[in-house]
Amino acid sequence: MDPSQNLTIEYVIIGVYLTLLIALGAIFGRFNKDSDDYFKSGCKGTWWLVGMSTFMSGISALTFTGNGGAAFEAGWSVLVIYAGNVIGFIISGLFLAAWYRQLRATTFPEVLRERFGPVTQQVYAYFFLIWFLWAGAIWLWGLGIFTSAIFNIPVGLIIPVLGVVVLIYSTTGGRWAVMATDFVQGMVMIPATVLLAGVCVWNLGGVSGIFARIQEAGLVDKFALIKAEGVFPGGAYTWSWAVAILILQVAQNCSLALSMRYFAVKDGKAASNAAWMTCILMAVGTLLWFIPPVTARLLFEDQVMAADITKPAEAAFAVASLNLLPSGMVGIMIIAMFAATMSSMDTGLNVNAAMLVRDVMPALRRRFGSTRALSTKAELRASQGVTVFFGAAMTLLAMYLARGDGKGMFEVVLEAATFLSLPLSMPLVLCVFIKKVPGWAALATVGAGLLVTPIMGWDGPFQNRAMTIFATCCLVYLGSGYFWRFASAEYRARVETFFQRMHTPVDFEKEVGGANDLSQLKILGGFTATIGVLLFLLLLIPNPTSGRLLIAALAGSVSLCGGVMYLKGRRS
């Protein structure tokens, strides 16, 4: 496709798609009878629905902008980031996902109250309200960068529109809508990115052609998986950097903070299946997502560096899409980026609303003398109101971040994850393995981890700070075990109950009951098939034969999957 051609058709495609998302959110809003439905789908989500939602919420436009920019600059080294994700989901599939579902909770601070006490619950709730708000803003900022690179529209104008769409369907449908839209978006994003990667490899002359072009461009050292010292500033992409990234990614993906992704599934076995599905999808994505940015470096470097954004390298994925996809498919690729980002944002909004309504508000109401619990209807309305508030705040923060200070998304996220996320995550991983620690162990570990960066300074290599934080957190948490002997009998009994429940399988029929698997299959299959049929309309757009074949392959795969799901749900 000629990058300068009229993009009106892409606007139409995106408009229709966003309308379908809002409609899907409204339909699944009918599944919400109370706040349990709103926050965790009443624990009735099928493993394949939760698995796809977990996968989609684990990626965002950062995957295609910030991480894509890293692939543009450093080649294969970005694979280490995704390898950490895959390892995390392997561990979850083996046992953590089942354990987390068997906690039988709605929010992870609620779990921390039972594990460590109310003070730890409140501290973590406030910390993560801020963390998820900031992360959602980062994701929205990344989507604005990608879309701006395609349409040459200021990021500050794109962000509010996208924020409003996510806010509408997240507010009306809650967790059901979040998972449903994640699933449908995944059904579009996965084949779209597979096709783009295939087109990139074809244009580079196959796999052997990629390595030949890298050698011709003199990028062998810069594209090596593990770099030698001095190739990049600050020892980036060296062995020490790779180890630090793996620790960070595994800790984040195994953390109790992300246990809420499995609260919506039916039982422990289904949670494990969801984690394995996510693991497989993440592994496949790992092999695909770095190819377009590398292609942009080899074929369209001048166009990428001409992008009018804070860090031009982060437009690499968009530039590759704009140059190599047929007319109409660019809109689909933008939809894929919307899918990745919206799935992360809507999950963050739902999680924040759950923590505020279930963890923060009850404590505040007790502090001001109110002991009466909210009614089911009032709690649901409060949840929706809180979602609106966080959605608006997230959008405003994204607009502020888009103003830029010379740093790209990759660096901003890495700094924040090292300083804040790693200290918060470490005790949330250790606490499900190491039982005999006092009630203050988690907060002491977090406090020690947060002090590392101010002491070491912000200017040193990321990996030095990350490894020091990791070691400090482990030492403090393990060292606190000495004080277990002084813990009260009440606390010891509560900890014992916590571990006993975590290892007790869920009996879905007795504890939940009323499965609606077939309704999920039928509705989602119908929506997916509808999108597939609409994609066939893109064949009416003038394109070369190769472009029409790409469109037909995408439309056919989406239609087939949706049709099979719908028929299976209806016949059953």
Side-chain angles (χ1 to χ4, degrees):
M1 166 180 140
D2 179 358
S4 63
Q5 77 177 70
N6 191 295
L7 293 172
T8 302
I9 186 63
E10 319 297 353
Y11 286 108
V12 174
I13 292 168
I14 294 169
V16 171
Y17 171 76
L18 296 180
T19 302
L20 285 173
L21 285 188
I22 293 173
L24 185 59
I27 289 175
F28 270 89
R30 298 180 303 176
F31 282 45
N32 293 319
K33 302 298 187 296
D34 53 33
S35 58
D36 271 350
D37 288 333
Y38 193 81
F39 291 138
K40 57 179 183 178
S41 68
C43 300
K44 296 179 181 179
T46 53
W47 66 266
W48 48 266
L49 176 57
V50 174
M52 178 68 86
S53 180
T54 300
F55 167 69
M56 292 298 293
S57 63
I59 59 177
S60 68
L62 172 63
T63 303
F64 307 100
T65 52
N67 293 355
F72 178 87
E73 294 177 338
W76 322 125
S77 296
V78 76
L79 296 178
V80 176
I81 299 172
Y82 301 118
N85 294 339
V86 172
I87 293 171
F89 284 113
I90 288 175
I91 296 172
S92 296
L94 290 172
F95 47 84
L96 279 183
W99 290 0
Y100 289 158
R101 170 59 185 95
Q102 288 160 192
L103 288 170
R104 299 162 171 84
T106 301
T107 71
F108 87 88
E110 174 188 330
V111 174
L112 290 179
R113 181 185 181 91
E114 299 175 6
R115 178 65 177 88
F116 293 111
V119 176
T120 301
Q121 175 200 26
Q122 292 301 307
V123 170
Y124 262 96
Y126 281 103
F127 260 121
F128 270 88
L129 284 174
I130 297 171
W131 173 254
F132 284 129
L133 179 64
W134 179 88
I138 285 286
W139 296 323
L140 188 54
W141 173 27
L143 183 56
I145 288 174
F146 186 91
T147 312
S148 176
I150 293 287
F151 293 114
N152 198 28
I153 299 174
V155 175
L157 295 179
I158 294 171
I159 287 174
V161 175
L162 302 179
V164 168
V165 172
V166 176
L167 184 59
I168 290 174
Y169 74 73
S170 297
T171 303
T172 56
R175 184 65 178 163
W176 277 117
V178 167
M179 293 195 302
T181 51
D182 286 354
F183 183 87
V184 171
Q185 291 179 105
M187 296 298 288
V188 175
M189 189 208 76
I190 293 171
T193 52
V194 168
L195 288 173
L196 176 58
V199 170
C200 288
V201 172
W202 176 268
N203 278 271
L204 289 172
V207 175
S208 60
I210 296 177
F211 291 99
R213 284 179 178 268
I214 289 173
Q215 190 168 11
E216 291 172 8
L219 295 172
V220 173
D221 290 338
K222 283 197 171 184
F223 272 26
L225 178 63
I226 303 297
K227 312 290 192 286
E229 291 286 348
V231 175
F232 280 86
Y237 310 114
T238 58
W239 274 112
S240 59
W241 180 92
V243 172
I245 282 287
L246 285 174
I247 290 173
L248 177 62
Q249 293 300 102
V250 172
Q252 288 181 328
N253 279 284
C254 292
S255 168
L256 192 63
L258 296 182
S259 61
M260 294 172 66
R261 58 177 53 152
Y262 302 113
F263 292 171
V265 82
K266 296 168 68 174
D267 54 28
K269 181 179 179 181
S272 293
N273 289 340
W276 282 117
M277 177 180 177
T278 306
C279 179
I280 293 170
L281 292 174
M282 191 67 71
V284 172
T286 298
L287 300 176
L288 299 174
W289 295 329
F290 70 91
I291 295 176
V294 168
T295 303
R297 178 66 179 270
L298 298 174
L299 299 181
F300 313 114
E301 183 175 2
D302 291 341
Q303 289 184 39
V304 172
M305 299 313 294
D308 186 20
I309 57 177
T310 302
K311 188 173 183 180
E314 294 179 347
F317 206 103
V319 169
S321 302
L322 198 59
N323 280 277
L324 299 177
L325 292 177
S327 180
M329 278 285 286
V330 174
I332 301 303
M333 189 51 59
I334 296 174
I335 285 174
M337 301 309 103
F338 282 9
T341 302
M342 289 177 172
S343 61
S344 301
M345 285 181 59
D346 56 29
T347 300
L349 284 175
N350 190 259
V351 168
N352 262 14
M355 288 193 298
L356 193 62
V357 171
R358 287 296 181 89
D359 297 299
V360 175
M361 285 176 55
L364 291 176
R365 295 178 75 244
R366 286 193 298 270
R367 181 176 293 274
F368 288 102
S370 178
T371 57
R372 189 180 64 179
L374 293 176
S375 67
T376 299
K377 186 174 182 180
E379 197 173 54
L380 179 59
R381 293 290 173 262
S383 304
Q384 293 172 327
V386 167
T387 302
V388 171
F389 169 77
F390 277 116
M394 192 178 289
T395 302
L396 292 174
L397 182 56
M399 294 175 68
Y400 172 78
L401 291 172
R403 296 168 60 185
D405 61 355
K407 290 184 178 179
M409 287 184 64
F410 187 77
E411 290 80 6
V412 170
V413 171
L414 202 58
E415 286 183 5
T418 306
F419 167 64
L420 186 59
S421 180
L422 187 57
L424 288 169
S425 296
M426 285 305 302
L428 299 186
V429 176
L430 296 171
C431 73
V432 297
F433 295 103
I434 302 172
K435 179 191 300 186
K436 297 181 179 181
V437 294
W440 48 262
L443 293 185
T445 303
V446 172
L450 289 176
L451 286 174
V452 170
T453 298
I455 292 173
M456 293 185 66
W458 294 87
D459 298 328
F462 138 79
Q463 56 269 28
N464 292 353
R465 282 180 285 124
M467 296 299 289
T468 305
I469 290 171
F470 173 74
T472 301
C473 289
C474 288
L475 287 173
V476 172
Y477 189 89
L478 295 174
S480 71
Y482 172 82
F483 297 93
W484 169 258
R485 68 187 71 181
F486 305 114
S488 67
E490 179 187 358
Y491 173 73
R492 290 175 178 234
R494 190 169 73 237
V495 171
E496 192 63 39
T497 301
F498 171 89
F499 277 88
Q500 183 178 2
R501 183 172 62 255
M502 186 171 70
H503 296 298
T504 301
V506 172
D507 187 327
F508 177 77
E509 292 300 328
K510 290 183 179 180
E511 298 183 35
V512 183
N516 56 13
D517 298 19
L518 298 181
S519 295
Q520 297 174 50
L521 194 64
K522 183 178 176 180
I523 294 174
L524 289 172
F527 258 89
T528 302
T530 299
I531 290 176
V533 170
L534 291 175
L535 289 175
F536 275 114
L537 297 178
L538 298 180
L539 292 173
L540 300 176
I541 302 172
N543 270 308
T545 302
S546 59
R548 292 179 185 273
L549 288 175
L550 281 175
I551 292 172
L554 175 64
S557 61
V558 175
S559 300
L560 179 62
C561 291
V564 170
M565 289 174 59
Y566 178 80
L567 291 175
K568 186 173 178 59
R570 186 173 182 180
R571 289 172 181 172
S572 298

